[in-house]
Each structure stands twice: as C-alpha cells, then as structure tokens.
Amino acid sequence: MATIEYVLGDITEQEVDVIVNAANSSLLGGGGVDGAIHRKGGPEILAACRELRAGHYGGGLKTGQAVATTAGRLNARWVVHTVGPVWSDTEDRSELLAACHRNSLKVAGDLGARSIAFPAISTGIYRWPVRSAARIAREAVEDAELDLVRFVLFDQAAYDAFTRV
Ligand code: APR
C-alpha cells in the first residue's frame, strides 16, 4: 500500500525514482512541466525521446500511454512521459486521464521504482479543471504498489484542490 503525499513545489526538484512528465504526443518537449523537465534534465532526455520516436514510438505517444527515459540531470532515475487528455466540454475523457496515472505506475513498477512524483496532469495547457483532475488522479493511484506516490503541485490552487479530495 503506497503512501500518498502532496507537495507544493517544483517537480524538477523532487528526489524520487520516477518523475512523471505531462508531455505531448510528439515527445519532443513543450511548455509547462514538459519544458521544465527538459530544461533542468538536459539534452539527454530529448535525445532519448528522439530515439523512441525513431523506434517503437514512430507515430508518437498516444494519449493515456506512458514511456520511460533517462532522467538526465534530475535527481531521479527515470522520467516517465505520459500524454494527458485535453479537456473537452462534450466528451468524457476521464478514463484517459486515469490511464495516464495507471500506465505511469505500471512503467515505473516494471522498472523497479519505489517512489514516483506526479504533476497535475492536463490541468495546465490542456485546461482540465483541477478539482476534477485531483479526484481522478487520486482514485487512479489508490492501488499503487510502490512505497511512495507524491503529487507535486505548482500553485496553491492546485495544492488545495488535491489535498481536499
Ligand atoms: N513542477 C510541477 N508542476 C508544474 C511545473 C513544475 N515545474 N510547471 C508547471 N506545472 C503544473 C502546471 O501548473 C499544471 O498544474 O503542471 C500542471 C500541468 O500543466 P502543463 O505542464 O501545462 O501540462 P498539461 O496541462 O498536461 O498540458 C500538456 O503542455 O507543456 C505542454 O508539451 C506539453 O503539449 C503538452 C501540454
């Protein structure tokens, strides 16, 4: 049974086995968490992402899927990249957001990771309402078999939403 914790801070500063990146399907970087992880983690991460694109992930990473690379200069052993769903007013994509968390946990577990840090996936550029995302994320990690699942929230509103779930 994993310990679930909530931290207000920067995910690139976390010292855990796996840092989860809220990526996009190109796996070639972006803004938000994606930008921060590539900036702090250094070029090795992008090089590893390019290799994935040249190989098994030629078409990019699908929404809800997760894949691991080196963590470069971050204080982690791996970065697990996952693509969150973009918020939709008309279509319920909750299952895809849950899948991001479950698949990230599976990839991390298969690597032997014991601790993982998640950002609030999809709640930035992808506009998912943070309270809804908090509920989905918390439920999705309920049966995590790691020792530690840490949600790293970048602003007070997200921290309040996640800690009130
Ligand atoms: N540490 C922790 N959380 C962060 C950090 C950071 N350094 N930087 C941003 N965040 C938070 C945001 O405040 C938001 O709550 O991460 C959450 C997710 O926001 P985004 O990074 O915008 O990710 P997302 O909404 O999933 O959109 C993904 O954005 O960066 C691009 O390439 C990415 O196209 C993809 C899209």
Side-chain angles (χ1 to χ4, degrees):
M1 188 62 194
T3 300
I4 314 279
E5 63 182 32
Y6 303 93
V7 162
L8 178 60
D10 181 339
I11 200 165
T12 64
E13 303 297 326
Q14 302 305 310
E15 297 191 19
V16 288
D17 287 340
V18 165
I19 289 175
V20 175
N21 181 22
N24 59 58
S25 56
S26 78
L27 280 178
L28 300 178
V33 163
D34 203 1
I37 284 175
H38 282 282
R39 205 168 33 254
K40 290 274 192 69
E44 276 179 271
I45 300 178
L46 187 58
C49 288
R50 286 216 169 93
E51 274 174 46
L52 292 170
R53 286 300 311 274
H56 189 63
Y57 293 90
L61 193 62
K62 289 187 175 52
T63 302
Q65 282 188 330
V67 69
T69 65
T70 172
R73 301 190 202 112
L74 299 176
N75 288 322
R77 294 171 67 189
W78 301 279
V79 168
V80 168
H81 306 263
T82 189
V83 180
V86 175
W87 168 253
S88 163
D89 288 318
T90 54
E91 186 190 336
D92 178 3
R93 296 173 177 169
S94 307
E95 195 35 49
L96 283 170
L97 185 55
C100 286
H101 295 82
R102 283 200 304 271
N103 289 329
S104 295
L105 286 168
K106 169 93 172 68
V107 168
D110 289 351
L111 287 166
R114 300 307 310 152
S115 57
I116 189 167
F118 283 100
I121 299 169
S122 287
T123 67
I125 293 169
Y126 285 178
R127 294 182 306 101
W128 200 288
V130 70
R131 289 180 60 187
S132 162
R135 181 179 49 72
I136 294 165
R138 179 65 187 79
E139 282 171 15
V141 304
E142 183 61 31
D143 304 327
E145 291 174 358
L146 278 65
D147 298 333
L148 173 67
V149 174
R150 178 180 298 163
F151 287 104
V152 184
L153 293 323
F154 206 48
D155 56 56
Q156 192 64 47
Y159 180 83
D160 292 346
F162 271 71
T163 50
R164 287 197 183 124
V165 165

